[in-house]
Amino acid sequence: RDDGGTTGRTTNRKQETVVIKEKPGIAPQLTANHLLHKSLFLELSDMQLPLVQIREEPSIVTLEEDHMIEYQQFHNKLYDTCRDLQRDLGSKAWASFNPAVLNYADQPHLGQRVVFRDDVGEVLAVVEAPAFPEDYYTAKELKLVEVVKQELAQDRGCIVFNYYTGDYRQNERLQKVLKDHGIQSEILDVSTTSSDGRFEWLEKQ
């Protein structure tokens, strides 16, 4: 159909065409009266198919001693600073707490430096943690390498999901760790790959 004849030179509008397609379907009465009593509903498990067993197995990894000491000192000092500044900054005092401590546990080679500022930009406090050498592998990274090698030895690929993949570049860090241990990997860029396209990307890999 067209737009009802409102196009023309005086209105400066172009004609709009709308194509209406009828989608296939059936009336609810047909389902109730003719199909339900002839239908059989099954669970996948009822079909005796050899389904893959899915298990979630948390693995607790303790930091190495030197890393643990620096982490605890940084964590405690940052916690105390956030608590002391909460009266002045409110919840904003805690904005950097989780990212800072989590990434110092995961990527100590980056070090950490958290700066607290008031509303006018004046520095209220600075909390820092020393950077480890870039070739220092955390206990967590070494555990990941171990798990990946076990899976690859059985001809199974692995998918690793990461947080803090933006500024902290967690994906690139783990790719380097895997490469240093002889494991080839690819990074899925979720910013340029649609949800549907991720399945195709995984199949290609």
Side-chain angles (χ1 to χ4, degrees), residues 127-195:
V127 180
E128 296 181 296
F132 281 60
E134 189 169 349
D135 59 355
Y136 174 84
Y137 305 118
T138 67
K140 182 177 177 181
E141 290 171 338
L142 295 177
K143 180 64 176 180
L144 176 65
V145 170
E146 176 187 334
V147 171
V148 171
K149 285 186 174 181
Q150 289 174 353
E151 296 299 312
L152 294 179
Q154 300 183 61
D155 198 26
R156 289 201 294 260
C158 297
I159 305 173
V160 180
F161 295 90
N162 288 318
Y163 291 102
Y164 299 108
T165 59
D167 294 339
Y168 288 99
R169 299 177 62 81
Q170 183 68 269
N171 283 336
E172 287 75 10
R173 168 61 183 180
L174 286 188
Q175 186 177 50
K176 177 184 183 304
V177 172
L178 293 172
K179 182 179 180 181
D180 291 346
H181 290 82
I183 301 171
Q184 177 68 27
S185 64
E186 298 292 338
I187 296 176
L188 168 60
D189 188 351
V190 296
S191 64
T192 58
T193 309
S194 66
S195 297

Side-chain angles (χ1 to χ4, degrees), residues 115-125:
V115 180
F116 297 88
R117 301 178 185 273
D118 59 16
D119 293 336
V120 296
E122 183 179 349
V123 176
L124 301 177

Side-chain angles (χ1 to χ4, degrees), residues 2-16:
D2 60 25
D3 59 2
T6 58
T7 58
R9 296 176 182 174
T10 57
T11 61
N12 199 27
R13 289 183 58 194
K14 295 182 180 181
Q15 182 175 348
E16 299 176 359

